[in-house]
Amino acid sequence: MTTRILCGLLFFVCLDVPAWAQAADPPAAEPAAAAGPAPAPLLAFDGPPPPPLPATMARDAEGRTTVRAIRLDVPLRVDGLLDEALYTSVRPASDFVQAEPRSGEPGTEKTEIWISFDDRNVYVSVRAEESQPERMVLNEMRRDSNQIFQNEGIGIAFDTFYDRRNSVNFSISPIGGRADGQVTNEGNYSGDWNPIWSFAVRRSATGWTGEMAIPFKSLRYQPGRAQIWGVQVRRNNRWKNEYSFLTRVPAGLAANGIFRVSRFAALVGLEAPPGPRALDIKPYVTSGISTDLTATPGVRNEVAKDAGLDLKWGVTGGLTADLTYNTDFAQVEADEQQVNLTRFSLFFPEKRDFFIENQGIFTFAGVSGTQGDSPILFYSRRIGLEQGRGVPIEAGGRLTGRVGRYSVGLLDIQTDEVANLGIPSTNFAVARVRRDVLRRSSIGALVTRRSQTSGPSTGLGAGGTGAGETYGLDGNFSFFTNLTISTYWARTQTPGLHGDDTSYRGQFNYNGDRYGLQGEHLVVGANVNPQVGFLRRTDFVKERVQARFSPRPRNSRVVRKYIYQASGEYWENHAGVRELREILGEFGIDFQSSDALDVSYNDTFERIPAPFRIARGVTIPAGGYDFRTLRGSFTLGQQRTASGTVFVEGGRFYDGDRIAFGYSGARVKLNPRLAIEPGLQVNVVTLPFGEFTTKLVSSRVTYTMTSWMFVSGLVQYNSSNSSFNTNLRFRWEYLPGSELFVVYNEGRTTLQHGFPDLQTRSLVLKVNRLIRF
């Protein structure tokens, strides 16, 4: 009932959308000899008046910036050469401002930007000068790899609704790496939005140049032909560990300054084409062979084939509908293994494309893809995954986007029955609405419903029968430059669980460059059970405070910043019994080279209410335990041939001792196409109840032929669950938006001596084809 009510409210919100997207597509532009501007009416915006041509950028004494987009009479030839008339007849936007290392000072390398458009595309052109191009950090070409942001590069973000909160982002590097993503509420970044766009780059003895063409059909924006957008451009000089921006951003944000949408420049002069919104249809076919010896009965070399369809329709300029039939996720990379030395469930991030696109809209109270203490009311891995196995998705739909000052999201998924596992056919529904208030704040509501309940999202016990619902209200308020206050109230309704089913939180965060202060009060009832969410534990009241002092030494060529940080937490259950007390002290150094040193000491008390198994043959008895842990780590910067974090820690652990060491976030740079990412984590534990050692060893090898094609392999050994897993993937985007995948998965167990025994194996071929209207 609650879901239907909220869906009705969202329907009436959407009724405010004008019928402005009904006209036919404009004819293609006729070729012309040169580019020239066309006047457009100016709408209200926050910035100085645009300058007269040929200038394209104006900046006032307060640092507010206005950039003019230039209309082209002929489309740009996207080849990265910058040899059209535009580049000699129109002055670029330039004069970038550092965020790191010297906030507010001019960027040390010159950057020039042109933004232009025609009736089909928005074009972004860049010229990036380099005083020492041979020192540039260039080691990643794979699309959307996080490593791209650790390379030299240019990122551009458009606030297409000019709401000063949300943006779409595009990044390119001098060797052809590219990334795209979405930012919601000035901080939640999702790199799994993959629109159609093209680019080209060129390198020279003085730096590099690039051109991007972004179709209007790949974007959503406000109604009307004359547009005002926000725009920000970020320059990564990674070999200098320097970040500079088109407009000044608050000190300490570094690369994340591009998420501060309220500081974007105003982009004026842009004219959007009228006409129907894009309709994308993407059918797929798969064929494969699989073995599963863990099933009952076991399966060997079973051949299967399948087909399905995804559809994306721009309902209006601001709303997008996604429909899926017989959804397939064969191309998704395997989860990265984890070692669990606690009594709580592990959190694994979502990797399936359908669920991670536009997921920022469904974020509640700022809690998203992290393993924190607050409930995640919508955790999409509860859909299509049960008892560690995939559940077929019959069909589903999603409507996301903006209507005026509202962000809206509707999701409905139907999964199939799995009779041999006792999993019934289940419907999942999610409704989310958020309204912008004040300058950088928002309030919202979220409702989820699952037609057939499963065990609680904590994994602590069995669930009831019938439908489970969750609903909540949240508010996020941002004041001044660095102050945010967030709050929420939520309630769950689960058959068989009555009372004590609410959760609420208040959080204060001042996050300045030199000082930081946080405070949190969090309450989770004993029967809180978000059936389409995730929650590590229930029945607690948590108080937390954290303070930070991070001075920057003047004129140091070695140290960029010192970090002194202390925090304290106190937990008790609703009976008033203390469950946890933690005091943490930390000291860190950020070096100019991008290396970092961190040392911390943790003093913790934890009460264990019931025995739990921590390792094979080792059980922790109920009782109270003191923990004291000293940890040291050193992070090697991305400019090094081998980067990553080396760590060692040790101390008191459940009345015994634990020593741990490892190498995480590692990357060995062989050349821009080939990279190895090794990982190691070892825990040596000696307890009065037994001794054990856990080993987690992994290696990912990626070879990128072009930005459209790569092959990768992920091999993992986890002694804590006696598994040895292999995941090999080949991906080729043979046409924009159309892909070919070849995926091999193998799972083995190491319980027996000798070569690991086979448990599961599969080889899948998948092809899809994008048809755009």
Side-chain angles (χ1 to χ4, degrees):
M1 177 64 70
T2 309
T3 303
R4 291 195 292 271
I5 292 173
L6 187 51
C7 290
L9 291 174
L10 293 175
F11 173 75
F12 283 109
V13 168
C14 296
L15 286 180
D16 293 334
V17 181
W20 49 265
Q22 306 299 322
D25 270 328
E30 293 295 328
L42 285 181
L43 306 175
F45 61 91
D46 183 19
L53 290 172
T56 59
M57 186 184 82
R59 181 178 292 155
D60 63 18
E62 299 176 7
R64 299 182 306 166
T65 304
T66 300
V67 177
R68 183 192 294 275
I70 303 300
R71 169 171 281 280
L72 301 180
D73 295 327
V74 61
L76 278 185
R77 184 175 61 255
V78 180
D79 55 14
L81 289 176
L82 273 61
D83 56 357
E84 287 86 357
L86 168 70
Y87 305 114
T88 56
S89 61
V90 175
R91 294 180 201 157
S94 190
D95 299 329
F96 277 42
V97 183
Q98 286 188 55
E100 286 282 352
R102 299 185 178 276
S103 177
E105 294 189 9
T108 60
E109 304 284 358
K110 187 175 183 179
T111 309
E112 298 178 330
I113 298 291
W114 292 262
I115 299 175
S116 55
F117 67 98
D118 56 24
D119 285 333
R120 295 184 179 275
N121 300 305
V122 177
Y123 300 97
V124 180
S125 309
V126 56
R127 178 180 289 121
E129 296 184 1
E130 284 284 0
S131 56
Q132 299 182 57
E134 71 280 358
R135 297 187 62 184
M136 290 194 296
V137 178
L138 301 170
N139 56 29
E140 183 60 89
M141 294 175 60
R142 184 160 48 107
R143 182 176 187 175
D144 288 335
S145 168
N146 289 331
Q147 187 66 23
I148 286 179
F149 304 113
Q150 304 299 326
N151 279 213
E152 315 297 323
I154 291 288
I156 186 162
F158 290 119
D159 172 11
T160 57
F161 289 93
Y162 202 55
D163 58 22
R164 319 308 298 276
R165 292 165 171 82
N166 308 289
S167 67
V168 292
N169 295 37
F170 304 86
S171 299
I172 59 174
S173 76
I175 58 172
R178 62 167 175 159
D180 35 44
Q182 298 168 306
V183 172
T184 55
N185 271 357
E186 288 200 309
N188 296 313
Y189 178 79
S190 171
D192 295 288
W193 174 66
N194 293 311
I196 303 300
W197 58 290
S198 59
F199 76 104
V201 292
R202 302 275 179 159
R203 296 172 64 184
S204 69
T206 59
W208 62 284
T209 56
E211 292 174 315
M212 294 181 263
I214 305 166
F216 279 103
K217 284 189 174 183
S218 293
L219 303 172
R220 299 292 173 259
Y221 43 83
Q222 53 198 330
R225 184 167 179 81
Q227 298 279 311
I228 298 290
W229 292 1
V231 64
Q232 182 64 283
V233 185
R234 178 186 64 199
R235 170 78 182 273
N236 293 10
N237 280 109
R238 201 68 187 93
W239 69 274
K240 292 183 175 182
N241 197 16
E242 175 184 312
Y243 297 96
S244 56
F245 292 83
L246 180 64
T247 66
R248 183 170 182 173
V249 300
L253 290 182
N256 293 335
I258 202 166
F259 301 158
R260 189 58 67 92
V261 183
S262 57
R263 294 298 186 96
F264 281 18
L267 179 64
V268 305
L270 194 65
E271 295 180 345
R277 312 311 306 164
L279 174 63
D280 293 346
I281 300 176
K282 183 182 282 191
Y284 81 85
V285 294
T286 67
S287 179
I289 182 171
S290 62
T291 294
D292 187 352
L293 303 183
T294 65
T296 304
V299 175
R300 283 187 180 273
N301 300 326
E302 182 178 68
V303 178
K305 58 183 182 296
D306 209 346
L309 181 74
D310 293 328
L311 182 147
K312 184 185 294 289
W313 175 41
V315 181
T316 71
L319 290 173
T320 302
D322 294 275
L323 303 176
T324 181
Y325 170 72
N326 199 23
T327 316
D328 176 79
F329 304 111
Q331 75 276 14
V332 176
E333 184 183 57
D335 286 325
E336 296 184 16
Q337 292 283 311
Q338 302 179 42
V339 174
N340 191 1
L341 297 181
T342 74
R343 54 194 170 99
F344 305 113
S345 300
L346 292 174
F347 178 90
F348 290 91
E350 179 62 88
K351 292 188 175 184
R352 298 171 295 175
D353 292 345
F354 182 83
F355 293 108
I356 50 185
E357 184 175 349
N358 293 320
Q359 68 177 349
I361 288 179
F362 295 96
T363 298
F364 180 80
V367 180
S368 55
T370 58
Q371 185 172 317
D373 302 312
S374 297
I376 300 176
L377 298 193
F378 174 49
Y379 177 48
S380 56
R381 284 181 66 111
R382 297 298 298 274
I383 304 174
L385 293 169
E386 193 75 26
Q387 301 175 23
R389 294 179 177 271
V391 177
I393 294 178
E394 293 183 335
R398 177 181 61 206
L399 179 70
T400 56
R402 288 190 61 87
V403 182
R405 295 178 65 84
Y406 293 89
S407 296
V408 297
L410 297 174
L411 177 74
D412 191 89
I413 299 287
Q414 184 69 39
T415 62
D416 202 356
E417 177 186 19
V418 184
N420 64 325
L421 296 179
I423 300 173
S425 177
T426 306
N427 179 262
F428 299 82
V430 183
R432 171 66 159 154
V433 60
R434 185 175 63 235
R435 190 186 191 282
D436 298 339
V437 296
L438 305 177
R439 182 177 176 85
R440 295 170 49 215
S441 305
S442 65
I443 55 175
L446 176 74
V447 175
T448 72
R449 185 179 189 274
R450 178 174 181 151
S451 65
Q452 299 288 333
T453 60
S454 68
S457 55
T458 58
L460 298 178
T465 59
E469 293 188 349
T470 301
Y471 46 91
L473 304 172
D474 67 328
N476 293 278
F477 304 94
S478 298
F479 302 102
F480 309 106
T481 300
N482 300 303
L483 176 62
T484 59
I485 297 173
S486 64
T487 184
Y488 78 83
W489 175 91
R491 184 180 182 185
T492 66
Q493 292 183 334
T494 307
L497 298 177
H498 303 286
D500 203 12
D501 53 7
T502 60
S503 174
Y504 55 90
R505 185 189 70 179
Q507 187 179 59
F508 166 96
N509 184 18
Y510 176 79
N511 191 27
D513 180 51
R514 187 174 178 86
Y515 301 101
L517 182 64
Q518 293 182 12
E520 180 185 24
H521 176 75
L522 172 63
V523 177
V524 177
N527 290 328
V528 172
N529 181 19
Q531 280 288 306
V532 196
F534 179 87
L535 179 59
R536 296 185 70 228
R537 62 193 294 177
T538 60
D539 188 22
F540 68 86
V541 178
K542 171 189 173 183
E543 311 285 353
R544 182 177 186 271
V545 64
Q546 175 181 294
R548 172 180 53 81
F549 175 54
S550 48
R552 294 174 180 262
R554 295 186 178 182
N555 303 319
S556 174
R557 295 187 177 184
V558 178
V559 175
R560 177 166 295 185
K561 181 190 293 187
Y562 295 106
I563 301 170
Y564 304 88
Q565 188 165 282
S567 63
E569 294 185 17
Y570 183 84
W571 299 51
E572 63 180 33
N573 61 24
H574 285 79
V577 177
R578 181 180 65 170
E579 291 212 333
L580 184 143
R581 184 266 306 150
E582 180 180 86
I583 299 174
L584 174 66
E586 184 176 1
F587 170 72
I589 303 175
D590 288 348
F591 297 97
Q592 298 286 8
S593 63
S594 79
D595 296 338
L597 172 70
D598 185 83
V599 179
S600 64
Y601 179 76
N602 189 317
D603 187 329
T604 301
F605 167 84
E606 184 177 8
R607 186 181 69 87
I608 305 300
F612 77 97
R613 176 182 176 275
I614 192 173
R616 190 178 300 111
V618 181
T619 298
I620 304 297
Y625 297 91
D626 290 302
F627 302 80
R628 295 177 181 86
T629 304
L630 178 65
R631 175 186 172 94
S633 66
F634 191 85
T635 299
L636 301 166
Q638 297 294 330
Q639 79 282 4
R640 301 187 181 278
T641 301
S643 59
T645 299
V646 180
F647 68 90
V648 61
E649 62 182 72
R652 196 72 173 161
F653 187 76
Y654 290 118
D655 288 344
D657 296 293
R658 180 179 71 97
I659 297 176
F661 58 91
Y663 186 27
S664 63
R667 185 181 180 88
V668 179
K669 177 179 63 176
L670 301 179
N671 59 54
R673 299 181 185 275
L674 179 61
I676 301 175
E677 300 174 40
L680 173 67
Q681 180 185 340
V682 177
N683 289 274
V684 181
V685 181
T686 304
L687 304 176
F689 334 109
E691 301 178 359
F692 64 93
T693 299
T694 69
K695 301 174 184 178
L696 178 57
V697 184
S698 65
S699 181
R700 179 186 285 107
V701 180
T702 304
Y703 183 77
T704 307
M705 293 73 113
T706 71
S707 60
W708 310 93
M709 181 189 300
F710 73 86
V711 60
S712 68
L714 175 62
V715 179
Q716 303 179 90
Y717 166 64
N718 188 347
S719 67
S720 66
N721 58 17
S722 304
S723 66
F724 185 88
N725 299 321
T726 303
N727 172 242
L728 304 175
R729 296 191 305 147
F730 169 78
R731 177 186 181 273
W732 175 30
E733 190 171 351
Y734 61 93
L735 289 173
S738 301
E739 300 148 314
L740 166 68
F741 296 95
V742 181
V743 182
Y744 176 80
N745 283 296
E746 184 178 275
R748 292 180 175 270
T749 178
T750 60
L751 282 174
Q752 305 297 325
H753 293 292
F755 194 78
D757 293 331
L758 178 69
Q759 289 189 315
T760 60
R761 175 189 289 160
S762 66
L763 176 65
V764 177
L765 172 68
K766 178 177 180 178
V767 182
N768 60 44
R769 176 63 185 267
L770 175 66
I771 305 170
R772 167 166 283 191
F773 297 94

